Amino acid sequence: MVGGGRYRYEATTLEGFVQQLAVCYLKNRYWFYVLGEIPAWKDPGPIDDKILARYAVDQSKWAKARAWKRGIAKVQYLRYGTTYVLLATQGEHAFFEGERANIRDARERPIKFYGYSIGYKDGHPHVRIATSQYKELAEAFLSVALTTRVEVLSARLQSLPFEPYGPVKLQLRRLLRRVNEIRRAAGLPRVVPEILRTRRRTVSPFAPIRDEPQLGYGQGSTSVRTPSLIEG
């Protein structure tokens, strides 16, 4: 979507939001952020406009670059559904005064969003499944590792809604190893590692879509529901 006729800020998919946040913003040192939630009963448009105007977000990248050379921080705004994040680079800006009580540093406190933990670590963006979400997934899969057919376990693992960023791949491989250790001890067939996705989909974060954004994991929620693992 386009704010102020030019500035694009509304991601049309969850994958697009995470990609824009990590690959475009955190990668380019937008480390300081405020994560907010717009009440479901409110029209987000006027709130978007208010934030864009208050912090002069709706500027060309050239104008921001010139201001940055003068020591003024660059600011970005991104929203998916009812959840938004306002980000800034280092420098002087009204953002740091107006949002002082709520500002966090992604290098120290990753952004928790729909089950993801999105931060900046060792010189690059770091996208993983949030610890609490991963524990929930592990408990769900391990509890049915002996009672669920291998085909069902494979399908459930394939359907997990997490893009395979590097840390995510490591987490899911670790989970799969634990599942297979339990099954191997019981003489059951293992889930083959090839069922896990290894290549991340590159999406257009602001591309229009025909259907409404799929907020099926709880609009505005910071976690996803663990899929049912009951054998069908």
Side-chain angles (χ1 to χ4, degrees), residues 21-28 118-121 123-127 167:
L21 179 57
V23 178
C24 295
Y25 293 157
L26 292 182
K27 181 180 180 180
N28 287 296
I118 310 163
Y120 192 88
K121 183 179 180 181
H124 56 78
H126 189 82
V127 182

Side-chain angles (χ1 to χ4, degrees), residues 165-183:
Y165 290 87
V168 173
K169 287 191 287 187
L170 292 176
Q171 288 175 299
L172 294 183
R173 287 171 185 164
R174 184 166 66 247
L175 173 57
L176 181 56
R177 282 197 301 269
R178 295 177 66 187
V179 168
N180 279 333
E181 286 170 0
I182 293 174
R183 293 180 64 83

Side-chain angles (χ1 to χ4, degrees), residues 20-205:
Q20 184 72 11
L21 179 57
V23 178
C24 295
Y25 293 157
L26 292 182
K27 181 180 180 180
N28 287 296
R29 300 173 178 259
Y30 287 87
W31 297 329
F32 305 98
Y33 72 91
V34 170
L35 186 67
E37 190 72 22
I38 298 174
W41 64 86
K42 287 191 175 183
D43 178 2
I47 296 175
D48 295 334
D49 292 340
K50 183 178 180 180
I51 294 173
L52 293 174
R54 176 183 296 171
Y55 297 118
V57 182
D58 190 0
Q59 296 181 358
S60 71
K61 63 179 181 180
W62 312 115
K64 290 180 179 179
R66 289 193 297 269
W68 184 73
K69 290 181 179 179
R70 301 196 306 270
I72 299 174
K74 295 183 287 186
V75 178
Q76 302 284 3
Y77 177 69
L78 183 66
R79 177 169 62 78
Y80 173 65
T82 58
T83 305
Y84 69 85
V85 61
L86 186 64
L87 305 111
T89 62
Q90 291 178 318
E92 297 181 2
H93 200 282
F95 164 82
F96 291 102
E97 181 64 28
E99 305 293 335
R100 179 176 9 181
N102 300 311
I103 294 173
R104 301 293 181 265
D105 187 333
R107 296 170 296 180
E108 301 172 356
R109 296 182 64 173
I111 300 168
K112 302 297 178 63
F113 181 79
Y114 282 75
Y116 282 100
S117 175
I118 310 163
Y120 192 88
K121 183 179 180 181
D122 299 328
H124 56 78
H126 189 82
V127 182
R128 63 191 298 271
I129 302 172
T131 299
S132 59
Q133 182 70 68
Y134 182 76
K135 288 182 178 178
E136 182 181 338
L137 288 173
E139 290 174 2
F141 277 99
L142 296 177
S143 68
V144 298
L146 294 177
T147 59
T148 304
R149 289 181 291 114
V150 67
E151 297 85 1
V152 175
L153 284 172
S154 298
R156 295 300 185 186
L157 283 164
Q158 284 183 318
S159 69
L160 290 176
F162 297 100
E163 285 297 307
Y165 290 87
V168 173
K169 287 191 287 187
L170 292 176
Q171 288 175 299
L172 294 183
R173 287 171 185 164
R174 184 166 66 247
L175 173 57
L176 181 56
R177 282 197 301 269
R178 295 177 66 187
V179 168
N180 279 333
E181 286 170 0
I182 293 174
R183 293 180 64 83
R184 186 181 301 112
L188 296 173
R190 72 188 185 107
V191 180
V192 297
E194 288 75 18
I195 61 98
L196 296 177
R197 281 199 298 128
T198 59
R199 298 189 64 178
R200 179 174 63 84
R201 292 183 291 256
T202 300
V203 299
S204 298

